[in-house]
């Protein structure tokens, strides 16, 4: 049974969700102060029902990593990820004139029930220099807050429309020539104590084998400092993602920089023609404890997509 939630909207800044006295998440849509980090909304902090933090924010190695955020590292020569830009043959370079942003325009819908939050946000992707390149409809839902199971869920959907008169070309550092660097799309940065965490996938997929793999889900199990315990984040594709404009692969690192991305352009570029749209839908489950494959499977079997 889903528990009651409390939603606080600090207008012009953030939307926070609390359950059982714990702030589970905060969706920040106020523009970032540093343009080089690519101004865009993000979710931080993320916490388990037990109050354990499971997201990182502006780590020393990559200041533009902020919890959970939609990104696009290589988009028609612009960087909507933030920070250094990978340049073929020249490694990473500081190119501030290529850093784009995602502008919050409005909340088109905002519904709070006793155990669920749904909102629809309209955004504009703006290239460096001010030209509007894309319109985005973003749907966020917080639901299935289940103290008995020690977990809660966040759904994130995107529909992106090209408003230019030329195609938008989506890629990644790997499509530009760097091996196994397909980071782009919806990206999670974990807290530093999750370094060395366990990565699981369906069947016998696990660890490094998940990098660049295709699978309906990926679980990341981290161990906390300060307390004796683990937490699990489960990342899952909605069934319709199999029919999306371009196939997705997992980007995951579990060493000093714990992170996961639903990479929509890992190995190959794809184009979005003028006036056309693409859509993806994802689920992130935040759980206390170290889940194994059986626990993940039971959860997925018991929590369908609507």
């Amino acid at each position: 049974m889903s528990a009651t939630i409390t939603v606080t909207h600090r207008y012009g800044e953030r939307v926070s969700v609390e359950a059982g006295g714990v702030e589970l998440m905060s969706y920040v849509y106020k523009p970032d102060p540093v343009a080089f980090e690519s101004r865009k909304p993000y979710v931080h902090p993320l916490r388990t029902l037990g109050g354990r933090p499971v997201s990182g924010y502006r780590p020393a190695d990559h200041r533009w990593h902020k919890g959970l955020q939609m990104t696009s590292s290589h988009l028609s020569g612009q960087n909507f990820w933030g920070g250094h830009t990978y340049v073929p043959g020249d490694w990473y370079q500081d190119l501030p004139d290529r850093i784009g942003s995602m502008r919050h325009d409005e909340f088109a819908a905002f519904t709070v029930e006793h155990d669920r939050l749904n909102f629809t946000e309209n955004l504009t992707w703006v290239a460096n220099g001010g030209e509007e390149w894309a319109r985005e409809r973003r749907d966020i839902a917080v639901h299935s807050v289940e103290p008995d199971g020690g977990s809660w869920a966040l759904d994130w959907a995107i529909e992106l429309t090209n408003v230019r008169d030329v195609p938008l070309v989506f890629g990644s550092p790997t499509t530009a020539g760097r091996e196994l660097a397909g980071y782009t799309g919806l990206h999670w940065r974990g807290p530093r104590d999750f370094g060395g965490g366990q990565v699981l996938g369906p069947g016998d997929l696990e660890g490094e084998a998940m990098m660049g793999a295709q699978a309906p889900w990926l679980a990341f199990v981290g161990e906390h400092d300060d307390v004796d315990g683990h937490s699990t984040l489960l990342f899952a594709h909605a069934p319709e993602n199999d029919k999306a404009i371009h196939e997705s692969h997992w980007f995951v690192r579990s060493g000093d920089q714990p992170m996961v991305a639903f990479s929509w352009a890992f190995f190959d570029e794809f184009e979005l023609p003028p006036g056309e749209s693409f859509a993806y839908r994802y689920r992130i489950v935040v759980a206390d404890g170290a889940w194994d494959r059986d626990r993940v499977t039971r959860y997925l079997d018991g929590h369908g997509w609507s």
Side-chain angles (χ1 to χ4, degrees):
M1 182 176 179
S2 189
T4 298
I5 63 172
T6 299
V7 176
T8 302
H9 185 184
R10 295 177 177 85
Y11 186 75
E13 182 179 345
R14 67 182 64 215
V15 177
S16 301
V17 179
E18 178 182 314
V22 173
E23 183 188 48
L24 302 180
M25 61 151 281
S26 187
Y27 182 86
V28 181
Y29 62 94
K30 181 180 179 180
D32 287 342
V34 183
F36 187 68
E37 296 173 9
S38 183
R39 297 183 176 114
K40 56 186 176 292
Y42 59 88
V43 175
H44 177 80
L46 279 170
R47 294 188 181 93
T48 70
L49 287 172
R52 294 173 180 174
V54 292
S55 61
Y57 177 76
R58 299 191 75 245
D61 51 83
H62 293 80
R63 293 297 189 194
W64 49 96
H65 289 185
K66 297 173 183 177
L68 181 69
Q69 57 183 343
M70 184 60 67
T71 71
S72 189
S73 57
H74 288 62
L75 175 54
S76 296
Q78 292 273 301
N79 175 354
F80 289 81
W81 170 276
H84 312 302
T85 299
Y86 183 79
V87 179
D90 207 14
W91 199 234
Y92 284 93
Q93 300 296 320
D94 289 350
L95 301 173
D97 60 339
R98 295 192 188 182
I99 305 293
S101 62
M102 300 177 193
R103 184 185 71 216
H104 166 85
D105 292 330
E106 65 173 349
F107 288 116
F110 201 101
T111 304
V112 180
E113 303 174 20
H114 81 279
D115 61 353
R116 186 181 182 99
L117 165 68
N118 289 87
F119 65 78
T120 298
E121 181 186 19
N122 292 330
L123 304 99
T124 301
W125 291 34
V126 184
N128 194 283
E131 183 181 357
E132 297 181 355
W133 277 16
R135 300 270 190 268
E136 179 191 343
R137 170 183 167 140
R138 180 175 299 181
D139 291 291
I140 302 289
V142 175
H143 62 95
S144 303
V145 181
E146 300 171 348
D148 289 346
S151 64
W152 65 277
L154 184 155
D155 290 355
W156 186 309
I158 176 176
E159 182 179 43
L160 194 72
T161 302
N162 181 359
V163 298
R164 303 183 76 194
D165 57 5
V166 296
L168 288 172
V169 182
F170 293 82
S172 69
T174 294
T175 67
R178 185 188 173 195
E179 185 179 1
L180 297 180
Y183 48 81
T184 194
L186 185 60
H187 173 267
W188 165 79
R189 175 62 190 251
R192 196 166 296 279
D193 55 359
F194 272 30
Q198 182 183 21
V199 177
L200 298 173
D204 58 357
L205 284 172
E206 63 182 57
E208 294 181 359
M210 287 298 292
M211 175 65 93
Q214 290 182 294
W217 61 265
L218 179 152
F220 194 110
V221 182
E223 184 173 10
H224 293 278
D225 290 338
D226 298 329
V227 295
D228 296 327
H230 297 75
S231 294
T232 301
L233 283 95
L234 169 61
F235 303 87
H237 283 280
E240 67 267 23
N241 287 1
D242 287 343
K243 301 177 182 178
I245 186 173
H246 195 260
E247 61 186 13
S248 295
H249 299 76
W250 292 107
F251 172 81
V252 57
R253 287 180 176 158
S254 60
D256 294 338
Q257 302 167 4
M259 62 181 82
V260 173
F262 298 84
S263 180
W264 58 32
F266 196 119
F267 297 108
D268 301 294
E269 294 182 340
F270 70 91
E271 293 189 358
L272 181 64
E276 294 195 12
S277 305
F278 69 70
Y280 293 92
R281 189 161 58 123
Y282 311 107
R283 177 166 294 166
I284 298 92
V285 181
V286 180
D288 284 298
W291 285 18
D292 58 17
R293 288 189 182 88
D294 289 343
R295 183 70 181 274
V296 169
T297 300
R298 290 198 305 272
Y299 183 93
L300 293 173
D301 288 345
H303 297 77
W305 293 84
S306 57

